[in-house]
Amino acid sequence: MSPKAETFLEIDGHEVRVSSPDKVVFPEPGLTKVDLVRYYLDVAEGALRGAGGRPLVLKRFVKGISAEPFFQKRVPENHPDYIDTATLHYASGTSAEEAVIRDAAGLAWVVNLGCLDLNPHPVRAEDLDHPDELRIDLDPMPGVDWSQIVDVAYVAQDVLDDVGLVGWPKTSGSRGMHILVRIAPRWDYREVRLAAETLAREVENRAPGLATARWWKEERGESVFVDFNQNAKDRTVASAYSVRALPDARVSTPLDWDEVRTARPAEFTVLTVPTRFAERGDPHAGIDDAVGTLDGLLRLAEELGPAEKPPRGSSAGGRRASTMPLIEVARTKTKPEAEAALEQWRAAHAGVAALLHPADVLIDGMRGSSSLWYRVRINLQHVPETDRPAQGPLLADYDPWAGRTWPGL
């Protein structure tokens, strides 16, 4: 019997089409496309609390979880009438009419497009200039275990408490943790980012060695990066109850503070979270009633003074020159290609590779025009100067901009 080409679901009075419902999206647990739709319907109240009413960047995995997704800002022209829109203006001078979902039918429609995780902006559609959510992204460097992330999370909670704010933790669905903070929509993006950077600096001050606010990856060591730049305009993060593109169909799951210490990200998957949600409800159910002010963080920003600026190089373009002994290994279209190039380099430099610490190996996901590409770098800080290999030709040199034309040129 051939798989169904489509099926229709009646959701909140709307008929929602699901194409290729039997298509297997997660081979390991055997989850199909319609299984993912039903997952989001089971947790719709929580998922909409995180992403509803906000413009969404559509992150579409149309070729499955093993292939790179592409990012679509503009809502498809043939979107149904239960999908709202909002027009965002970007720093590049462009604009995009983006999708805004408000109900379970909208969730199903987004999943049908090939979206696994939901990536909302930190603003409501009714006020696109003033975020109502400050986002704390605890991003562990290689070699950092979960217990260190937890320690940093509790330090962040203490800082928030001292400035009169309430943090709501959740697993990122990958290796890290997010803490969300509802704020009154009174401050613009620049002020919100400053508040987030101030919090990151204070967390680093209270937990030196465990946490860092250093923006440049090669300078962080084996610590947890408090990623304040997720609060910059145009940035999005996976929201609550988002499914992540990992083989076990892991979910970004809201937590109570009293379970942060014992919870493990791998516990929360598409197969387990609906039961948890049905039995205990959403730990973030009160988030919209805990709206706070940034006054305390902005006062702390004045007390701390300006953040140290990263050193800049003397090149004609004024680009920053790292103080670390970095070499670049490869630029690739996909992460598996990046990992293969890294292994090729390790094999060719086995003696040097043995001296590297986990955080010395840098595989950076870089945002291209509509998808990610990958850069592989090696920090030779733990290698004696006399043994450091020189920068050589790249093992792969993918150009994410090849073939693109630029207006006016």
Side-chain angles (χ1 to χ4, degrees):
M1 180 180 294
S2 61
K4 287 184 181 179
E6 62 182 12
T7 191
F8 293 87
L9 301 177
E10 188 72 20
I11 306 170
D12 295 337
H14 302 290
E15 187 177 65
V16 181
R17 175 180 175 269
V18 180
S19 61
S20 304
D22 299 329
K23 177 183 177 181
V24 176
V25 181
F26 288 93
E28 188 174 292
L31 293 169
T32 64
K33 189 176 183 182
V34 77
D35 289 333
L36 294 177
V37 172
R38 289 180 176 134
Y39 158 78
Y40 272 108
L41 297 181
D42 286 341
V43 299
E45 179 187 348
L48 290 168
R49 186 173 287 116
R54 302 177 182 277
L56 292 172
V57 173
L58 303 175
K59 183 180 176 184
R60 302 179 63 179
F61 291 84
V62 295
K63 296 182 179 179
I65 63 171
S66 60
E68 292 297 318
F70 73 90
F71 297 87
Q72 180 176 336
K73 293 178 179 177
R74 290 173 174 80
V75 65
E77 291 185 3
N78 60 343
H79 61 273
D81 58 9
Y82 53 81
I83 299 298
D84 286 345
T85 65
T87 300
L88 277 75
H89 296 272
Y90 289 92
S92 62
T94 61
S95 63
E97 186 180 15
E98 299 190 8
V100 178
I101 61 174
R102 299 190 183 275
D103 54 24
L107 286 170
W109 178 80
V110 166
V111 176
N112 184 55
L113 293 177
C115 298
L116 300 180
D117 49 349
L118 308 174
N119 288 269
H121 291 270
V123 293
R124 304 282 180 176
E126 294 75 19
D127 185 350
L128 300 176
D129 297 320
H130 301 94
D132 72 330
E133 186 170 85
L134 182 145
R135 296 167 172 179
I136 303 165
D137 181 5
L138 304 182
D139 184 12
M141 291 293 290
V144 172
D145 62 22
W146 181 251
S147 64
Q148 184 171 334
I149 300 168
V150 169
D151 289 339
V152 173
Y154 282 120
V155 174
Q157 183 194 31
D158 287 342
V159 176
L160 290 171
D161 187 59
D162 288 347
V163 295
L165 291 170
V166 180
W168 301 80
K170 69 181 182 72
T171 64
S172 70
S174 183
R175 295 184 60 239
M177 184 181 295
H178 298 155
I179 303 174
L180 308 178
V181 182
R182 284 288 192 269
I183 57 174
R186 290 168 37 200
W187 296 272
D188 61 23
Y189 275 97
R190 182 190 62 80
E191 293 166 314
V192 173
R193 184 182 181 279
L194 173 61
E197 183 180 20
T198 300
L199 182 140
R201 293 172 64 195
E202 182 63 14
V203 170
E204 180 181 25
N205 290 341
R206 298 188 188 192
L210 290 180
T212 181
R214 293 181 177 270
W215 177 242
W216 302 105
K217 195 172 183 179
E218 63 269 21
E219 297 175 357
R220 297 175 197 161
E222 284 156 24
S223 61
V224 176
F225 176 43
V226 186
D227 189 354
F228 56 88
N229 211 47
Q230 296 293 10
N231 295 273
K233 190 174 183 180
D234 305 347
R235 298 296 287 269
T236 62
V237 297
S239 58
Y241 297 100
S242 284
V243 181
R244 307 308 301 273
L246 296 177
D248 59 358
R250 200 168 296 187
V251 169
S252 179
T253 306
L255 304 173
D256 289 318
W257 277 109
D258 61 6
E259 64 178 336
V260 165
R261 179 70 64 188
T262 57
R264 293 295 181 271
E267 300 173 30
F268 308 115
T269 70
V270 168
L271 296 177
T272 64
V273 168
T275 299
R276 168 184 165 90
F277 190 88
E279 292 178 349
R280 62 174 298 163
D282 182 9
H284 286 192
I287 191 170
D288 290 319
D289 299 321
V291 177
T293 171
L294 292 183
D295 291 343
L297 280 176
L298 295 178
R299 281 195 300 270
L300 181 59
E302 294 180 0
E303 294 173 11
L304 293 179
E308 180 182 358
K309 299 296 182 184
R312 300 187 72 85
S314 56
S315 65
R319 293 174 63 89
R320 175 185 182 276
S322 176
T323 58
M324 293 293 180
L326 292 170
I327 58 172
E328 188 171 4
V329 172
R331 299 180 179 188
T332 67
K333 184 176 182 179
T334 69
K335 192 170 184 179
E337 290 172 331
E339 293 168 340
L342 173 61
E343 290 310 307
Q344 182 182 345
W345 183 90
R346 283 184 182 276
H349 302 86
V352 173
L355 300 175
L356 300 177
H357 292 201
D360 292 338
V361 178
L362 308 169
I363 299 182
D364 308 316
M366 313 290 287
R367 183 67 68 87
S369 59
S370 62
S371 62
L372 293 177
W373 60 279
Y374 292 86
R375 178 180 63 177
V376 183
R377 297 178 298 158
I378 303 294
N379 189 343
L380 300 171
Q381 62 180 329
H382 294 109
V383 179
E385 286 191 38
T386 54
D387 297 334
R388 293 173 182 172
Q391 175 68 58
L394 297 180
L395 299 180
D397 193 5
Y398 170 70
D399 181 1
W401 313 109
R404 182 173 178 183
T405 58
W406 303 94
L409 295 181

